[in-house]
């Protein structure tokens, strides 16, 4: 028993180490795609087009040029914010706030807990993590790649070498959003070159430039299509106020945290509209929305009774 357990733990450890190593390569891959796209769109085609050809052609080039750079800044800003923002960890000796009016009593300590039922059976699904030896706040999960509990864990993302959780989920969604817009823009702006590549007409440019343009087109098309799938999935998750993990686990038709689409959206993006499209929260939102700290989540009135 012990032996097989040890072997399994070793395999999981190797798997997690491999995932971490792969993450660094994937960051390089993202930066390579950005580099190839920049070379093809800005340096080869639309940069030179600013100063040659008809006025309409120059104006089109200017629009592509400005949009490309704007989306690139937003994309990289969101991307590095997801990478460098802690997804949220459980504060040392965390205990849930008890509401005595609702008849909540003191919780078991870790030593008293027998591991079979939630520590707080009244409503909030508080469990005990044996690996971290601490209580888990509602919606918290243990990530085996990071080796720790992560608040409102969504998934461990190898593309950002980080967990996506309570404190960086919005930034991750913005990264998907801007990555989709940027890859779509690059695909569309290289489409005329791609068509020319297969037509019999004269194709301007050196062979190296043509290959790079072709590569940029194929890579961006592939990324745009796969990101679109992810984006649609996450939009439906935000609308229902669930995480990827919860969507797999949830069996109850009436989800405890579903507050209606508008409030579900605000729980992730904040209430300040000026901050919806940038990877940050306003000071006021952080003050007035405890949900942004990742420890407490408002639930629907009378949801407790329906869930249990
Ligand atoms: Zn844990
Ligand atoms: Zn993780």
């Amino acid at each position: 028993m012990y032996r097989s357990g040890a072997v399994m733990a070793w395999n999981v450890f190797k798997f997690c180490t491999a995932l971490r190593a792969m993450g660094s390569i994937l960051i390089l891959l993202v930066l390579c795609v950005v580099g190839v796209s920049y070379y093809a769109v800005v340096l080869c085609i639309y940069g030179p087009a600013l100063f040659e050809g008809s006025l309409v052609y120059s104006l089109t080039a200017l629009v592509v040029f400005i949009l490309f750079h704007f989306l690139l800044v937003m994309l990289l800003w969101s991307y590095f914010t997801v990478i460098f923002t802690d997804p949220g960890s459980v504060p040392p000796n965390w205990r849930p706030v008890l509401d005595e009016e609702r008849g909540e009593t003191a919780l078991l300590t870790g030593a008293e807990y027998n591991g079979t039922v939630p520590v707080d059976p009244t409503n909030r699904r508080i469990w005990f993590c044996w690996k971290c030896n601490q209580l888990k706040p509602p919606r918290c999960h243990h990530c085996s790649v990071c080796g720790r509990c992560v608040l409102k864990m969504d998934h461990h993302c190898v593309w950002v070498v980080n967990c996506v959780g309570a404190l960086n989920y919005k930034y991750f969604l913005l990264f998907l959003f801007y990555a989709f817009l940027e890859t779509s823009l690059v695909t569309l702006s290289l489409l005329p070159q791609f068509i020319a590549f297969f037509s019999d007409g004269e194709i301007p440019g050196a062979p190296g430039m043509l290959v790079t343009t072709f590569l940029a087109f194929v890579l961006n098309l592939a990324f745009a299509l796969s990101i679109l799938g992810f984006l649609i999935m996450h939009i439906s998750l935000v609308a229902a106020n669930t995480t990827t993990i919860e969507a797999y686990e949830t069996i109850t038709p009436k989800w405890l945290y579903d507050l209606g689409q508008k409030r579900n959206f605000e729980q992730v993006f904040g209430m300040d509209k000026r901050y919806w499209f940038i990877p940050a929260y306003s000071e006021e939102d952080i003050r007035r929305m405890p949900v942004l700290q990742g420890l407490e989540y408002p639930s629907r009135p009378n949801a407790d009774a329906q869930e249990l």
Side-chain angles (χ1 to χ4, degrees):
M1 260 328 264
Y2 172 76
R3 227 185 105 76
S4 69
V7 168
M8 216 176 103
W10 173 239
N11 282 342
V12 170
F13 175 74
K14 276 209 295 199
F15 175 69
C16 297
T17 311
L19 277 185
R20 272 196 293 266
M22 198 168 91
S24 315
I25 297 167
L26 290 180
I27 291 184
L28 278 180
L29 179 66
V30 170
L31 295 178
C32 282
V33 174
V34 167
V36 168
S37 308
Y38 195 92
Y39 176 77
V41 174
V42 176
L43 300 181
C44 291
I45 299 163
Y46 289 93
L50 287 173
F51 310 103
E52 53 195 50
S54 67
L55 184 66
V56 177
Y57 187 54
S58 295
L59 281 177
T60 313
L62 185 66
V63 171
V64 173
F65 192 84
I66 291 171
L67 258 180
F68 180 91
H69 284 93
F70 170 72
L71 290 174
L72 185 62
V73 168
M74 298 310 291
L75 164 71
L76 292 178
W77 183 12
S78 310
Y79 188 50
F80 286 105
T81 313
V82 188
I83 294 174
F84 293 117
T85 303
D86 188 304
S89 52
V90 184
N93 300 318
W94 177 85
R95 287 282 178 279
V97 182
L98 294 175
D99 186 349
E100 284 175 7
E101 279 181 21
R102 286 164 61 160
E104 292 174 10
T105 50
L107 300 170
L108 300 171
T109 63
E112 293 159 346
Y113 177 54
N114 69 11
T116 53
V117 290
V119 179
D120 176 7
T122 51
N123 66 329
R124 287 173 301 182
R125 295 186 158 198
I126 292 158
W127 298 77
F128 189 80
C129 178
W130 288 105
K131 291 174 192 133
C132 303
N133 204 25
Q134 68 187 7
L135 288 173
K136 287 155 85 176
R139 313 186 79 178
C140 173
H141 286 270
H142 185 89
C143 173
S144 47
V145 183
C146 298
R148 65 185 176 103
C149 279
V150 173
L151 300 177
K152 201 190 174 195
M153 179 181 166
D154 189 88
H155 66 289
H156 186 92
C157 181
V158 287
W159 290 92
V160 297
V161 210
N162 199 0
C163 244
V164 176
L167 308 188
N168 64 356
Y169 185 53
K170 174 189 171 181
Y171 313 152
F172 173 74
L173 294 180
L174 287 175
F175 163 60
L176 286 186
F177 176 68
Y178 288 117
F180 173 68
L181 292 182
E182 181 75 314
T183 50
S184 302
L185 175 76
V186 174
T187 307
L188 289 177
S189 60
L190 296 180
L191 188 62
Q193 268 67 32
F194 185 74
I195 292 168
F197 193 84
F198 286 104
S199 67
D200 298 331
E202 274 283 292
I203 312 161
M209 207 169 99
L210 289 176
V211 170
T212 315
T213 307
F214 182 81
L215 187 68
F217 177 82
V218 173
L219 282 174
N220 278 276
L221 179 64
F223 271 96
L225 291 176
S226 37
I227 293 169
L228 180 64
F230 257 115
L231 201 56
I232 291 171
M233 184 187 101
H234 278 284
I235 288 170
S236 67
L237 289 176
V238 170
N241 203 345
T242 52
T243 63
T244 304
I245 292 177
E246 288 164 351
Y248 281 108
E249 282 181 348
T250 308
I251 40 165
T252 47
K254 286 177 179 159
W255 177 234
L256 176 67
Y257 301 107
D258 187 355
L259 308 170
Q261 286 190 358
K262 182 170 181 283
R263 283 195 65 199
N264 290 346
F265 175 83
E266 287 173 351
Q267 300 268 297
V268 175
F269 285 83
M271 290 160 80
D272 194 331
K273 291 186 179 69
R274 292 171 304 169
Y275 284 77
W276 279 356
F277 292 99
I278 59 169
Y281 289 106
S282 71
E283 299 253 314
E284 202 189 351
D285 273 355
I286 290 173
R287 201 163 19 82
R288 68 184 164 183
M289 297 180 73
V291 65
L292 300 181
Q293 311 298 323
L295 292 168
E296 293 168 41
Y297 295 92
S299 52
R300 288 182 297 118
N302 308 320
D304 312 347
Q306 285 166 351
E307 200 208 8
L308 289 173

